[in-house]
Amino acid sequence: MVAEKGMLIVVSAPSGTGKGAIIKKLLIEDKNITHSVSATTREPRKGEKDGVSYFFMNKSDFKKMITKGALIEWDEYCGNYYGTPKKYIDDVTAAGGDVILDITVAGAVNIKKECPEAVMIFVLPPSIKELERRIKDRGTDSTADISSRLEFAYSEFNNIGDYEYAVVNDNLDTAVEEVKAIIAAERMKYKRNPLILDNLYKGDLK
Ligand code: ADP
Ligand code: 5GP
């Protein structure tokens, strides 16, 4: 059953853990979920498309979005700005769709303040060695970026207590199944479906 208002599903993890890979599979398997496209000042990587991977922009345009209140949250990460456009989330969740966000820990904590009902999932790599292997083998970041991302990763682990769920991404398919199980359980929470009796039984309840 789809809830009356869509959920905000927040996924965070140190860079290279595999949250992008998990979200990609999840979106194929669950058509009620869409991915929010963030704004960023980072340069596009090979293969990334404007408006699909991110809305790529310069710092001045990013700051204008902040001033206009167009971002529900934003953060600075390894020298670049990243932020979540508010309108898309409001429109999709109002129509009953779920939106998944792939954002930094600081951004996630801010979202939770704005939207306490957001579902908070922290994805963990199976080991630090494997995290290093994945971020290096991904082949998308310079050596300097890899070291700053790994350096930052250690501080991110300290914030796991702000999340409700921890999923270990050892086997990708298993991790996707675990995220799907979390989402399924969250959708069944009564507080997300306060009109369930009226909707199911219409006027038949005495
Ligand atoms: P993130 O979005 O967290 O930065 P990515 O989704 O880009 O990470 O994944 C980082 C790298 O690790 C990619 O090359 C991806 O294909 C690989 N990867 C993701 N999950 C797994 C997994 N469970 N086992 C092995 N490699 C993985
Ligand atoms: P990347 O440069 O690898 O695409 O992303 C770097 C980090 O920025 C990742 O941890 C990713 O989750 C985070 N990120 C992407 N979009 C946003 C956003 O809109 N807000 C925040 N706070 N973080 C984001």
Side-chain angles (χ1 to χ4, degrees), residues 11-15 19 37-40 42 45 48 54 73-77 82-85 102-108 138 141 149 156:
V11 179
S12 301
S15 185
K19 55 194 179 304
V37 178
S38 296
T40 186
R42 146 163 104 54
R45 294 176 183 142
E48 285 186 330
Y54 281 103
E73 65 73 37
W74 65 275
D75 191 15
E76 190 174 356
Y77 172 84
Y82 295 81
T84 307
D102 160 357
I103 60 175
T104 57
V105 168
R138 182 166 66 179
D141 305 281
R149 280 165 184 256
E156 289 177 297

PDB file of all heavy atoms in Angstrom, residues 11-15 19 37-40 42 45 48 54 73-77 82-85 102-108 138 141 149 156, ligand 2:
ATOM      1  N   VAL A  11      20.063   8.593   2.521  1.00  0.00           N
ATOM      2  CA  VAL A  11      21.138   7.605   2.549  1.00  0.00           C
ATOM      3  C   VAL A  11      22.465   8.341   2.608  1.00  0.00           C
ATOM      4  O   VAL A  11      22.736   9.210   1.785  1.00  0.00           O
ATOM      5  CB  VAL A  11      21.099   6.708   1.282  1.00  0.00           C
ATOM      6  CG1 VAL A  11      22.230   5.691   1.303  1.00  0.00           C
ATOM      7  CG2 VAL A  11      19.759   5.996   1.164  1.00  0.00           C
ATOM      8  N   SER A  12      23.281   8.006   3.602  1.00  0.00           N
ATOM      9  CA  SER A  12      24.613   8.593   3.702  1.00  0.00           C
ATOM     10  C   SER A  12      25.630   7.482   3.876  1.00  0.00           C
ATOM     11  O   SER A  12      25.306   6.399   4.383  1.00  0.00           O
ATOM     12  CB  SER A  12      24.732   9.526   4.909  1.00  0.00           C
ATOM     13  OG  SER A  12      23.796  10.554   4.834  1.00  0.00           O
ATOM     14  N   ALA A  13      26.849   7.781   3.477  1.00  0.00           N
ATOM     15  CA  ALA A  13      27.946   6.824   3.620  1.00  0.00           C
ATOM     16  C   ALA A  13      29.221   7.525   3.189  1.00  0.00           C
ATOM     17  O   ALA A  13      29.171   8.419   2.337  1.00  0.00           O
ATOM     18  CB  ALA A  13      27.723   5.609   2.721  1.00  0.00           C
ATOM     19  N   PRO A  14      30.368   7.117   3.734  1.00  0.00           N
ATOM     20  CA  PRO A  14      31.614   7.670   3.213  1.00  0.00           C
ATOM     21  C   PRO A  14      31.725   7.418   1.711  1.00  0.00           C
ATOM     22  O   PRO A  14      31.261   6.379   1.217  1.00  0.00           O
ATOM     23  CB  PRO A  14      32.682   6.895   3.981  1.00  0.00           C
ATOM     24  CG  PRO A  14      32.010   6.459   5.233  1.00  0.00           C
ATOM     25  CD  PRO A  14      30.581   6.199   4.864  1.00  0.00           C
ATOM     26  N   SER A  15      32.315   8.371   1.012  1.00  0.00           N
ATOM     27  CA  SER A  15      32.457   8.248  -0.444  1.00  0.00           C
ATOM     28  C   SER A  15      33.151   6.929  -0.811  1.00  0.00           C
ATOM     29  O   SER A  15      34.139   6.562  -0.193  1.00  0.00           O
ATOM     30  CB  SER A  15      33.289   9.439  -0.937  1.00  0.00           C
ATOM     31  OG  SER A  15      33.364   9.424  -2.329  1.00  0.00           O
ATOM     32  N   LYS A  19      26.883   3.767  -2.049  1.00  0.00           N
ATOM     33  CA  LYS A  19      25.479   4.220  -1.947  1.00  0.00           C
ATOM     34  C   LYS A  19      24.902   4.495  -3.330  1.00  0.00           C
ATOM     35  O   LYS A  19      23.740   4.201  -3.586  1.00  0.00           O
ATOM     36  CB  LYS A  19      25.299   5.405  -0.993  1.00  0.00           C
ATOM     37  CG  LYS A  19      26.160   6.608  -1.277  1.00  0.00           C
ATOM     38  CD  LYS A  19      26.129   7.547  -0.089  1.00  0.00           C
ATOM     39  CE  LYS A  19      27.003   8.763  -0.344  1.00  0.00           C
ATOM     40  NZ  LYS A  19      28.420   8.452  -0.676  1.00  0.00           N
ATOM     41  N   VAL A  37      17.726  15.116  -7.618  1.00  0.00           N
ATOM     42  CA  VAL A  37      18.962  15.564  -8.274  1.00  0.00           C
ATOM     43  C   VAL A  37      19.465  16.800  -7.520  1.00  0.00           C
ATOM     44  O   VAL A  37      18.744  17.785  -7.397  1.00  0.00           O
ATOM     45  CB  VAL A  37      18.710  15.902  -9.766  1.00  0.00           C
ATOM     46  CG1 VAL A  37      19.986  16.404 -10.432  1.00  0.00           C
ATOM     47  CG2 VAL A  37      18.166  14.667 -10.501  1.00  0.00           C
ATOM     48  N   SER A  38      20.669  16.706  -6.985  1.00  0.00           N
ATOM     49  CA  SER A  38      21.244  17.798  -6.193  1.00  0.00           C
ATOM     50  C   SER A  38      21.898  18.845  -7.071  1.00  0.00           C
ATOM     51  O   SER A  38      22.261  18.579  -8.216  1.00  0.00           O
ATOM     52  CB  SER A  38      22.315  17.235  -5.253  1.00  0.00           C
ATOM     53  OG  SER A  38      21.749  16.354  -4.330  1.00  0.00           O
ATOM     54  N   ALA A  39      22.088  20.011  -6.475  1.00  0.00           N
ATOM     55  CA  ALA A  39      22.902  21.053  -7.115  1.00  0.00           C
ATOM     56  C   ALA A  39      24.326  20.903  -6.575  1.00  0.00           C
ATOM     57  O   ALA A  39      24.509  20.559  -5.402  1.00  0.00           O
ATOM     58  CB  ALA A  39      22.356  22.422  -6.745  1.00  0.00           C
ATOM     59  N   THR A  40      25.318  21.127  -7.418  1.00  0.00           N
ATOM     60  CA  THR A  40      26.703  21.087  -6.931  1.00  0.00           C
ATOM     61  C   THR A  40      27.605  22.026  -7.714  1.00  0.00           C
ATOM     62  O   THR A  40      27.327  22.322  -8.887  1.00  0.00           O
ATOM     63  CB  THR A  40      27.302  19.659  -6.997  1.00  0.00           C
ATOM     64  OG1 THR A  40      28.599  19.684  -6.380  1.00  0.00           O
ATOM     65  CG2 THR A  40      27.476  19.149  -8.415  1.00  0.00           C
ATOM     66  N   ARG A  42      30.802  21.071  -7.907  1.00  0.00           N
ATOM     67  CA  ARG A  42      31.892  20.185  -8.349  1.00  0.00           C
ATOM     68  C   ARG A  42      31.861  20.049  -9.871  1.00  0.00           C
ATOM     69  O   ARG A  42      30.795  20.121 -10.488  1.00  0.00           O
ATOM     70  CB  ARG A  42      31.742  18.834  -7.628  1.00  0.00           C
ATOM     71  CG  ARG A  42      32.165  17.659  -8.421  1.00  0.00           C
ATOM     72  CD  ARG A  42      32.397  16.417  -7.635  1.00  0.00           C
ATOM     73  NE  ARG A  42      31.361  15.389  -7.720  1.00  0.00           N
ATOM     74  CZ  ARG A  42      30.893  14.852  -8.835  1.00  0.00           C
ATOM     75  NH1 ARG A  42      31.242  15.294 -10.030  1.00  0.00           N
ATOM     76  NH2 ARG A  42      29.991  13.876  -8.755  1.00  0.00           N
ATOM     77  N   ARG A  45      31.998  14.628 -13.645  1.00  0.00           N
ATOM     78  CA  ARG A  45      32.918  13.531 -13.986  1.00  0.00           C
ATOM     79  C   ARG A  45      32.557  13.029 -15.371  1.00  0.00           C
ATOM     80  O   ARG A  45      31.452  13.294 -15.865  1.00  0.00           O
ATOM     81  CB  ARG A  45      32.753  12.367 -13.007  1.00  0.00           C
ATOM     82  CG  ARG A  45      33.175  12.682 -11.606  1.00  0.00           C
ATOM     83  CD  ARG A  45      32.877  11.479 -10.709  1.00  0.00           C
ATOM     84  NE  ARG A  45      33.199  11.739  -9.328  1.00  0.00           N
ATOM     85  CZ  ARG A  45      32.485  11.317  -8.283  1.00  0.00           C
ATOM     86  NH1 ARG A  45      31.376  10.614  -8.485  1.00  0.00           N
ATOM     87  NH2 ARG A  45      32.852  11.588  -7.060  1.00  0.00           N
ATOM     88  N   GLU A  48      28.895  12.036 -16.574  1.00  0.00           N
ATOM     89  CA  GLU A  48      27.818  12.667 -15.804  1.00  0.00           C
ATOM     90  C   GLU A  48      27.108  13.712 -16.663  1.00  0.00           C
ATOM     91  O   GLU A  48      27.750  14.454 -17.404  1.00  0.00           O
ATOM     92  CB  GLU A  48      28.382  13.332 -14.541  1.00  0.00           C
ATOM     93  CG  GLU A  48      28.744  12.328 -13.472  1.00  0.00           C
ATOM     94  CD  GLU A  48      29.173  12.978 -12.152  1.00  0.00           C
ATOM     95  OE1 GLU A  48      29.729  14.095 -12.173  1.00  0.00           O
ATOM     96  OE2 GLU A  48      28.955  12.357 -11.107  1.00  0.00           O
ATOM     97  N   TYR A  54      23.614  15.621 -11.559  1.00  0.00           N
ATOM     98  CA  TYR A  54      23.549  16.810 -10.701  1.00  0.00           C
ATOM     99  C   TYR A  54      23.086  17.975 -11.561  1.00  0.00           C
ATOM    100  O   TYR A  54      23.145  17.922 -12.788  1.00  0.00           O
ATOM    101  CB  TYR A  54      24.956  17.183 -10.180  1.00  0.00           C
ATOM    102  CG  TYR A  54      25.471  16.365  -9.016  1.00  0.00           C
ATOM    103  CD1 TYR A  54      26.427  15.365  -9.217  1.00  0.00           C
ATOM    104  CD2 TYR A  54      25.043  16.609  -7.721  1.00  0.00           C
ATOM    105  CE1 TYR A  54      26.927  14.626  -8.146  1.00  0.00           C
ATOM    106  CE2 TYR A  54      25.542  15.874  -6.639  1.00  0.00           C
ATOM    107  CZ  TYR A  54      26.474  14.884  -6.862  1.00  0.00           C
ATOM    108  OH  TYR A  54      26.960  14.157  -5.803  1.00  0.00           O
ATOM    109  N   GLU A  73      18.501  21.796   2.213  1.00  0.00           N
ATOM    110  CA  GLU A  73      19.749  21.709   2.972  1.00  0.00           C
ATOM    111  C   GLU A  73      20.899  21.860   2.002  1.00  0.00           C
ATOM    112  O   GLU A  73      20.735  21.648   0.807  1.00  0.00           O
ATOM    113  CB  GLU A  73      19.860  20.380   3.737  1.00  0.00           C
ATOM    114  CG  GLU A  73      19.953  19.118   2.875  1.00  0.00           C
ATOM    115  CD  GLU A  73      21.285  18.903   2.173  1.00  0.00           C
ATOM    116  OE1 GLU A  73      22.334  19.199   2.738  1.00  0.00           O
ATOM    117  OE2 GLU A  73      21.266  18.456   1.021  1.00  0.00           O
ATOM    118  N   TRP A  74      22.058  22.233   2.526  1.00  0.00           N
ATOM    119  CA  TRP A  74      23.268  22.276   1.701  1.00  0.00           C
ATOM    120  C   TRP A  74      24.474  22.083   2.599  1.00  0.00           C
ATOM    121  O   TRP A  74      24.389  22.231   3.823  1.00  0.00           O
ATOM    122  CB  TRP A  74      23.362  23.586   0.905  1.00  0.00           C
ATOM    123  CG  TRP A  74      23.514  24.816   1.749  1.00  0.00           C
ATOM    124  CD1 TRP A  74      22.502  25.539   2.325  1.00  0.00           C
ATOM    125  CD2 TRP A  74      24.732  25.443   2.141  1.00  0.00           C
ATOM    126  NE1 TRP A  74      23.016  26.581   3.033  1.00  0.00           N
ATOM    127  CE2 TRP A  74      24.386  26.558   2.943  1.00  0.00           C
ATOM    128  CE3 TRP A  74      26.083  25.201   1.886  1.00  0.00           C
ATOM    129  CZ2 TRP A  74      25.341  27.404   3.504  1.00  0.00           C
ATOM    130  CZ3 TRP A  74      27.034  26.050   2.432  1.00  0.00           C
ATOM    131  CH2 TRP A  74      26.655  27.135   3.234  1.00  0.00           C
ATOM    132  N   ASP A  75      25.595  21.714   1.984  1.00  0.00           N
ATOM    133  CA  ASP A  75      26.801  21.431   2.760  1.00  0.00           C
ATOM    134  C   ASP A  75      28.017  21.685   1.873  1.00  0.00           C
ATOM    135  O   ASP A  75      27.899  21.670   0.636  1.00  0.00           O
ATOM    136  CB  ASP A  75      26.771  19.944   3.204  1.00  0.00           C
ATOM    137  CG  ASP A  75      27.829  19.607   4.243  1.00  0.00           C
ATOM    138  OD1 ASP A  75      28.415  20.533   4.848  1.00  0.00           O
ATOM    139  OD2 ASP A  75      28.064  18.400   4.461  1.00  0.00           O
ATOM    140  N   GLU A  76      29.152  21.894   2.536  1.00  0.00           N
ATOM    141  CA  GLU A  76      30.411  22.004   1.801  1.00  0.00           C
ATOM    142  C   GLU A  76      31.161  20.704   2.041  1.00  0.00           C
ATOM    143  O   GLU A  76      31.282  20.252   3.185  1.00  0.00           O
ATOM    144  CB  GLU A  76      31.226  23.189   2.317  1.00  0.00           C
ATOM    145  CG  GLU A  76      32.406  23.476   1.419  1.00  0.00           C
ATOM    146  CD  GLU A  76      33.168  24.735   1.828  1.00  0.00           C
ATOM    147  OE1 GLU A  76      32.732  25.432   2.760  1.00  0.00           O
ATOM    148  OE2 GLU A  76      34.201  24.979   1.189  1.00  0.00           O
ATOM    149  N   TYR A  77      31.597  20.066   0.950  1.00  0.00           N
ATOM    150  CA  TYR A  77      32.272  18.775   1.074  1.00  0.00           C
ATOM    151  C   TYR A  77      33.511  18.782   0.183  1.00  0.00           C
ATOM    152  O   TYR A  77      33.394  18.991  -1.031  1.00  0.00           O
ATOM    153  CB  TYR A  77      31.305  17.645   0.661  1.00  0.00           C
ATOM    154  CG  TYR A  77      31.953  16.280   0.575  1.00  0.00           C
ATOM    155  CD1 TYR A  77      32.113  15.495   1.721  1.00  0.00           C
ATOM    156  CD2 TYR A  77      32.402  15.772  -0.641  1.00  0.00           C
ATOM    157  CE1 TYR A  77      32.710  14.252   1.638  1.00  0.00           C
ATOM    158  CE2 TYR A  77      32.993  14.526  -0.724  1.00  0.00           C
ATOM    159  CZ  TYR A  77      33.149  13.774   0.420  1.00  0.00           C
ATOM    160  OH  TYR A  77      33.742  12.537   0.340  1.00  0.00           O
ATOM    161  N   TYR A  82      27.255  21.334  -2.129  1.00  0.00           N
ATOM    162  CA  TYR A  82      26.234  20.387  -2.589  1.00  0.00           C
ATOM    163  C   TYR A  82      24.932  20.755  -1.882  1.00  0.00           C
ATOM    164  O   TYR A  82      24.946  21.045  -0.683  1.00  0.00           O
ATOM    165  CB  TYR A  82      26.589  18.950  -2.178  1.00  0.00           C
ATOM    166  CG  TYR A  82      27.824  18.366  -2.809  1.00  0.00           C
ATOM    167  CD1 TYR A  82      29.096  18.665  -2.317  1.00  0.00           C
ATOM    168  CD2 TYR A  82      27.727  17.482  -3.880  1.00  0.00           C
ATOM    169  CE1 TYR A  82      30.237  18.115  -2.887  1.00  0.00           C
ATOM    170  CE2 TYR A  82      28.870  16.924  -4.455  1.00  0.00           C
ATOM    171  CZ  TYR A  82      30.113  17.243  -3.949  1.00  0.00           C
ATOM    172  OH  TYR A  82      31.244  16.696  -4.509  1.00  0.00           O
ATOM    173  N   GLY A  83      23.799  20.725  -2.582  1.00  0.00           N
ATOM    174  CA  GLY A  83      22.540  21.050  -1.923  1.00  0.00           C
ATOM    175  C   GLY A  83      21.348  20.371  -2.573  1.00  0.00           C
ATOM    176  O   GLY A  83      21.366  20.024  -3.752  1.00  0.00           O
ATOM    177  N   THR A  84      20.282  20.211  -1.762  1.00  0.00           N
ATOM    178  CA  THR A  84      19.072  19.507  -2.220  1.00  0.00           C
ATOM    179  C   THR A  84      17.973  20.509  -2.564  1.00  0.00           C
ATOM    180  O   THR A  84      17.498  21.223  -1.668  1.00  0.00           O
ATOM    181  CB  THR A  84      18.548  18.585  -1.095  1.00  0.00           C
ATOM    182  OG1 THR A  84      19.617  17.749  -0.652  1.00  0.00           O
ATOM    183  CG2 THR A  84      17.383  17.739  -1.562  1.00  0.00           C
ATOM    184  N   PRO A  85      17.536  20.581  -3.833  1.00  0.00           N
ATOM    185  CA  PRO A  85      16.432  21.482  -4.181  1.00  0.00           C
ATOM    186  C   PRO A  85      15.137  21.098  -3.454  1.00  0.00           C
ATOM    187  O   PRO A  85      14.791  19.916  -3.374  1.00  0.00           O
ATOM    188  CB  PRO A  85      16.290  21.306  -5.702  1.00  0.00           C
ATOM    189  CG  PRO A  85      17.622  20.790  -6.149  1.00  0.00           C
ATOM    190  CD  PRO A  85      18.115  19.923  -5.004  1.00  0.00           C
ATOM    191  N   ASP A 102      20.888  11.178  -1.520  1.00  0.00           N
ATOM    192  CA  ASP A 102      22.234  10.641  -1.264  1.00  0.00           C
ATOM    193  C   ASP A 102      23.063  11.849  -0.840  1.00  0.00           C
ATOM    194  O   ASP A 102      23.504  12.624  -1.681  1.00  0.00           O
ATOM    195  CB  ASP A 102      22.681  10.018  -2.606  1.00  0.00           C
ATOM    196  CG  ASP A 102      24.174   9.828  -2.758  1.00  0.00           C
ATOM    197  OD1 ASP A 102      24.935  10.211  -1.868  1.00  0.00           O
ATOM    198  OD2 ASP A 102      24.563   9.282  -3.806  1.00  0.00           O
ATOM    199  N   ILE A 103      23.184  12.060   0.485  1.00  0.00           N
ATOM    200  CA  ILE A 103      23.774  13.324   0.962  1.00  0.00           C
ATOM    201  C   ILE A 103      24.756  13.107   2.114  1.00  0.00           C
ATOM    202  O   ILE A 103      24.775  12.049   2.746  1.00  0.00           O
ATOM    203  CB  ILE A 103      22.676  14.341   1.388  1.00  0.00           C
ATOM    204  CG1 ILE A 103      21.801  13.799   2.508  1.00  0.00           C
ATOM    205  CG2 ILE A 103      21.827  14.743   0.196  1.00  0.00           C
ATOM    206  CD1 ILE A 103      20.801  14.818   3.037  1.00  0.00           C
ATOM    207  N   THR A 104      25.546  14.149   2.383  1.00  0.00           N
ATOM    208  CA  THR A 104      26.535  14.081   3.465  1.00  0.00           C
ATOM    209  C   THR A 104      25.838  13.967   4.826  1.00  0.00           C
ATOM    210  O   THR A 104      24.657  14.296   4.971  1.00  0.00           O
ATOM    211  CB  THR A 104      27.387  15.366   3.496  1.00  0.00           C
ATOM    212  OG1 THR A 104      26.501  16.483   3.638  1.00  0.00           O
ATOM    213  CG2 THR A 104      28.237  15.523   2.249  1.00  0.00           C
ATOM    214  N   VAL A 105      26.644  13.560   5.805  1.00  0.00           N
ATOM    215  CA  VAL A 105      26.105  13.404   7.156  1.00  0.00           C
ATOM    216  C   VAL A 105      25.566  14.735   7.688  1.00  0.00           C
ATOM    217  O   VAL A 105      24.463  14.793   8.245  1.00  0.00           O
ATOM    218  CB  VAL A 105      27.226  12.858   8.083  1.00  0.00           C
ATOM    219  CG1 VAL A 105      26.826  12.959   9.538  1.00  0.00           C
ATOM    220  CG2 VAL A 105      27.566  11.422   7.698  1.00  0.00           C
ATOM    221  N   ALA A 106      26.315  15.834   7.480  1.00  0.00           N
ATOM    222  CA  ALA A 106      25.854  17.139   7.996  1.00  0.00           C
ATOM    223  C   ALA A 106      24.533  17.530   7.327  1.00  0.00           C
ATOM    224  O   ALA A 106      23.616  18.029   7.989  1.00  0.00           O
ATOM    225  CB  ALA A 106      26.911  18.201   7.748  1.00  0.00           C
ATOM    226  N   GLY A 107      24.425  17.273   6.012  1.00  0.00           N
ATOM    227  CA  GLY A 107      23.187  17.566   5.290  1.00  0.00           C
ATOM    228  C   GLY A 107      22.038  16.732   5.836  1.00  0.00           C
ATOM    229  O   GLY A 107      20.917  17.220   6.005  1.00  0.00           O
ATOM    230  N   ALA A 108      22.320  15.467   6.130  1.00  0.00           N
ATOM    231  CA  ALA A 108      21.286  14.556   6.626  1.00  0.00           C
ATOM    232  C   ALA A 108      20.761  15.016   7.980  1.00  0.00           C
ATOM    233  O   ALA A 108      19.556  14.980   8.244  1.00  0.00           O
ATOM    234  CB  ALA A 108      21.853  13.141   6.714  1.00  0.00           C
ATOM    235  N   ARG A 138      37.292   2.905  -8.470  1.00  0.00           N
ATOM    236  CA  ARG A 138      36.205   3.571  -9.183  1.00  0.00           C
ATOM    237  C   ARG A 138      36.763   4.407 -10.328  1.00  0.00           C
ATOM    238  O   ARG A 138      36.120   4.554 -11.370  1.00  0.00           O
ATOM    239  CB  ARG A 138      35.402   4.448  -8.204  1.00  0.00           C
ATOM    240  CG  ARG A 138      34.234   5.144  -8.848  1.00  0.00           C
ATOM    241  CD  ARG A 138      33.289   5.718  -7.814  1.00  0.00           C
ATOM    242  NE  ARG A 138      33.896   6.793  -7.040  1.00  0.00           N
ATOM    243  CZ  ARG A 138      33.277   7.470  -6.081  1.00  0.00           C
ATOM    244  NH1 ARG A 138      32.034   7.149  -5.764  1.00  0.00           N
ATOM    245  NH2 ARG A 138      33.894   8.433  -5.421  1.00  0.00           N
ATOM    246  N   ASP A 141      38.155   9.808  -9.332  1.00  0.00           N
ATOM    247  CA  ASP A 141      38.688  10.922  -8.547  1.00  0.00           C
ATOM    248  C   ASP A 141      40.209  10.982  -8.647  1.00  0.00           C
ATOM    249  O   ASP A 141      40.871   9.955  -8.805  1.00  0.00           O
ATOM    250  CB  ASP A 141      38.286  10.750  -7.067  1.00  0.00           C
ATOM    251  CG  ASP A 141      36.792  10.593  -6.896  1.00  0.00           C
ATOM    252  OD1 ASP A 141      36.088  11.599  -6.931  1.00  0.00           O
ATOM    253  OD2 ASP A 141      36.330   9.438  -6.790  1.00  0.00           O
ATOM    254  N   ARG A 149      38.830  12.531   0.500  1.00  0.00           N
ATOM    255  CA  ARG A 149      37.582  11.794   0.741  1.00  0.00           C
ATOM    256  C   ARG A 149      37.773  10.715   1.828  1.00  0.00           C
ATOM    257  O   ARG A 149      36.915  10.523   2.692  1.00  0.00           O
ATOM    258  CB  ARG A 149      37.078  11.165  -0.559  1.00  0.00           C
ATOM    259  CG  ARG A 149      36.355  12.173  -1.421  1.00  0.00           C
ATOM    260  CD  ARG A 149      36.141  11.748  -2.843  1.00  0.00           C
ATOM    261  NE  ARG A 149      35.527  12.843  -3.592  1.00  0.00           N
ATOM    262  CZ  ARG A 149      34.247  12.898  -3.956  1.00  0.00           C
ATOM    263  NH1 ARG A 149      33.444  11.901  -3.685  1.00  0.00           N
ATOM    264  NH2 ARG A 149      33.777  13.940  -4.599  1.00  0.00           N
ATOM    265  N   GLU A 156      33.148  10.844   9.329  1.00  0.00           N
ATOM    266  CA  GLU A 156      31.726  10.545   9.055  1.00  0.00           C
ATOM    267  C   GLU A 156      31.218   9.351   9.888  1.00  0.00           C
ATOM    268  O   GLU A 156      30.077   9.336  10.322  1.00  0.00           O
ATOM    269  CB  GLU A 156      31.526  10.269   7.569  1.00  0.00           C
ATOM    270  CG  GLU A 156      31.664  11.528   6.717  1.00  0.00           C
ATOM    271  CD  GLU A 156      31.539  11.233   5.235  1.00  0.00           C
ATOM    272  OE1 GLU A 156      32.394  10.496   4.712  1.00  0.00           O
ATOM    273  OE2 GLU A 156      30.608  11.730   4.604  1.00  0.00           O
TER     274      GLU A 156
HETATM  275  P1  5GP B   2      30.218  13.109  -5.163  1.00  0.00           P
HETATM  276  O1  5GP B   2      31.141  14.268  -5.430  1.00  0.00           O
HETATM  277  O2  5GP B   2      30.988  11.827  -4.936  1.00  0.00           O
HETATM  278  O3  5GP B   2      29.140  12.967  -6.190  1.00  0.00           O
HETATM  279  O4  5GP B   2      29.486  13.420  -3.784  1.00  0.00           O
HETATM  280  C1  5GP B   2      30.254  13.793  -2.659  1.00  0.00           C
HETATM  281  C2  5GP B   2      29.379  13.765  -1.417  1.00  0.00           C
HETATM  282  O5  5GP B   2      28.363  14.758  -1.534  1.00  0.00           O
HETATM  283  C3  5GP B   2      28.662  12.438  -1.191  1.00  0.00           C
HETATM  284  O6  5GP B   2      28.798  12.093   0.186  1.00  0.00           O
HETATM  285  C4  5GP B   2      27.217  12.731  -1.525  1.00  0.00           C
HETATM  286  O7  5GP B   2      26.355  11.951  -0.733  1.00  0.00           O
HETATM  287  C5  5GP B   2      27.140  14.195  -1.104  1.00  0.00           C
HETATM  288  N1  5GP B   2      26.026  14.925  -1.714  1.00  0.00           N
HETATM  289  C6  5GP B   2      25.523  14.822  -2.977  1.00  0.00           C
HETATM  290  N2  5GP B   2      24.486  15.648  -3.144  1.00  0.00           N
HETATM  291  C7  5GP B   2      24.311  16.291  -1.960  1.00  0.00           C
HETATM  292  C8  5GP B   2      23.356  17.261  -1.489  1.00  0.00           C
HETATM  293  O8  5GP B   2      22.435  17.705  -2.172  1.00  0.00           O
HETATM  294  N3  5GP B   2      23.520  17.682  -0.204  1.00  0.00           N
HETATM  295  C9  5GP B   2      24.506  17.239   0.608  1.00  0.00           C
HETATM  296  N4  5GP B   2      24.542  17.709   1.844  1.00  0.00           N
HETATM  297  N5  5GP B   2      25.388  16.303   0.213  1.00  0.00           N
HETATM  298  C10 5GP B   2      25.291  15.844  -1.060  1.00  0.00           C
END
